[in-house]
Amino acid sequence: MSMMSFDAYMNQMKQMVQPMRDELVNANFKELTTPEEVDHWFNEEIKSGTALLVINSVCGCAAGIARPAIIHSIQTGDQAPQHLATVFAGQDKEATAQARTYIEGYPPSSPSAALFKDGKLVYFVPREAIEGYDAETVVAHLKKAYEKYFQ
């Protein structure tokens, strides 16, 4: 593949995933695209309060289940997280790898969602708890976690 065609491919991929990024950004998620942004979010922005980090993905379960369920859960939940951020697996690889260092004890999973309270991981929703379920089930799962951990 020539450099010109590689650049064209990367540009096409960027255009293809932009709506998938925008879906969360338009729901007030802060997009973290570099390891430095990830570290700043974890070390400065979520020291206190509640936070939700979404590891976004291009897969069908992200589009049809995860993103709609996560957005609905924060818009309708009584205990919705105060801080919202997202990294994009497979696109912003270094940022995603850095974010995963804050999710200790769990293997890499995308899409997924991690809940933090006062900067500490309190709950993790892996792909296995998303894929194969309907959006309403995932919304209920998230709301139950918010109520339990974000009181």
Side-chain angles (χ1 to χ4, degrees):
M1 183 181 285
S2 72
M3 185 56 104
M4 192 62 127
S5 62
F6 180 75
D7 290 343
Y9 168 78
M10 292 306 293
N11 190 38
Q12 183 179 6
M13 288 300 297
K14 199 173 193 178
Q15 289 175 6
M16 184 180 84
V17 300
Q18 192 61 49
M20 299 172 202
R21 292 175 178 274
D22 292 346
E23 194 170 355
L24 290 173
V25 170
N26 291 339
N28 296 317
F29 281 78
K30 181 175 188 170
E31 188 171 44
L32 309 174
T33 61
T34 67
E36 295 78 18
E37 290 174 347
V38 170
D39 286 339
H40 184 267
W41 191 74
F42 276 99
N43 296 319
E44 302 298 327
E45 296 183 37
I46 69 164
K47 282 182 176 178
S48 66
T50 59
L52 170 63
L53 175 73
V54 174
I55 299 181
N56 200 357
S57 174
V58 298
C59 71
C61 66
I65 303 165
R67 288 191 302 268
I70 289 165
I71 292 167
H72 188 72
S73 76
I74 64 169
Q75 292 174 340
T76 60
D78 292 335
Q79 298 290 332
Q82 298 164 310
H83 305 278
L84 306 169
T86 181
V87 293
F88 207 113
Q91 300 296 308
D92 300 319
K93 294 176 184 175
E94 295 84 9
T96 303
Q98 188 63 21
R100 287 180 170 145
T101 68
Y102 293 93
I103 306 171
E104 295 179 9
Y106 297 96
S109 182
S110 60
S112 60
L115 281 61
F116 298 86
K117 186 169 185 179
D118 298 330
K120 307 271 190 261
L121 179 67
V122 294
Y123 194 72
F124 184 67
V125 181
R127 177 187 182 108
E128 294 79 26
I130 298 168
E131 185 177 35
Y133 294 90
D134 60 33
E136 293 79 17
T137 301
V138 176
V139 168
H141 182 170
L142 287 165
K143 284 183 169 185
K144 191 177 226 180
Y146 301 158
E147 290 170 12
K148 180 175 182 178
Y149 296 103
F150 292 171
Q151 293 183 30

